[in-house]
Amino acid sequence: MKIAYADPPYIGCAHLYRGHPDYAGEVDHAALIERLQRDYDGWILHAAATPESVAVLAPLVHETGARWMAWIKGFAAFKRSVPVAYAWEPVIIKPARKPVVSKRLVLRDWIECPITLRRGLTGAKPEAVCHWAFGTVAARPDDTLDDLFPGTGAVTQAWRTWRLKFALPGDPIAAPPRPDCAPSASRREAGAS
């Protein structure tokens, strides 16, 4: 199955990435969600916990079958001008298939994990958050993952380490990442305006 991981600049925050080679201004989230629905069996979309972000995204994902989940940031960036810190983030996930639940595995709709520091780009996702998202989207190691907003490459690297959890010695899955899990699109191709 084909899975997309979309971690675009959040609504109103594209200016933070002005110096990045893939910078293309504000992302057209309607076009992005339309692409996710059309081209992928399952998808993951990170968003901001701001009123503007929720107001824009809620009607767009309403009919998709996706679920709103939460990344709780036990350690987050605190700003003097913001009296209540944004220490959680919506993660909207449409599973590629029904997740398998057993006596040993019950998935939660949230994860607690601190933010990353000094990863070269604001908003780089921690490996644990990516692994949790791969589980909740019901990914399998032989699925294809497209990292639509590659940024630091953290998602692609997390996909590789997540797939390794399922590898047996000598298994081809333990080889370096295949082209199908490499960053697949620039910001322009991923719905940026």
Side-chain angles (χ1 to χ4, degrees):
M1 296 213 170
K2 285 184 66 177
I3 298 170
Y5 202 111
D7 185 17
Y10 299 157
I11 294 169
C13 294
H15 65 279
L16 297 173
Y17 304 93
R18 194 169 281 127
H20 194 275
D22 288 340
Y23 177 75
E26 285 294 326
V27 172
D28 180 344
H29 279 78
L32 174 60
I33 291 168
E34 181 180 315
R35 178 180 179 206
L36 293 172
Q37 282 292 98
R38 180 187 65 235
D39 297 344
Y40 295 95
D41 300 299
W43 47 267
I44 300 154
L45 174 61
H46 284 267
T50 63
E52 180 186 10
S53 179
V54 174
V56 168
L57 293 173
L60 296 174
V61 300
H62 179 68
E63 300 295 324
T64 66
R67 182 168 172 172
W68 291 69
M69 303 195 186
W71 167 26
I72 312 302
K73 303 169 184 179
F75 170 77
F78 300 103
K79 297 177 181 160
R80 187 174 294 187
S81 62
V82 180
V84 178
Y86 290 103
W88 75 281
E89 180 173 303
V91 184
I92 305 164
I93 298 180
K94 180 182 179 194
R97 56 182 64 86
K98 186 174 181 176
V100 176
V101 179
S102 69
K103 291 179 183 176
R104 295 179 358 176
L105 175 67
V106 175
L107 300 169
R108 290 191 167 102
D109 63 357
W110 60 273
I111 184 170
E112 189 281 324
C113 182
I115 63 170
T116 60
L117 296 174
R118 296 181 296 278
R119 292 290 292 272
L121 195 63
T122 299
K125 296 302 173 275
E127 182 180 65
V129 170
C130 295
H131 286 197
W132 163 78
F134 301 151
T136 55
V137 79
R140 293 185 182 160
D142 58 343
D143 288 338
T144 299
L145 179 81
D146 289 342
D147 182 359
L148 301 182
F149 296 85
T152 64
V155 170
T156 299
Q157 178 58 26
W159 178 249
R160 181 179 160 345
T161 59
W162 181 81
R163 291 175 72 231
L164 286 172
K165 292 180 177 186
F166 302 93
L168 297 172
D171 192 332
I173 203 169
R178 302 183 317 233
D180 69 342
C181 64
S184 68
S186 71
R187 292 185 193 282
R188 291 186 207 294
E189 294 169 22
S193 54

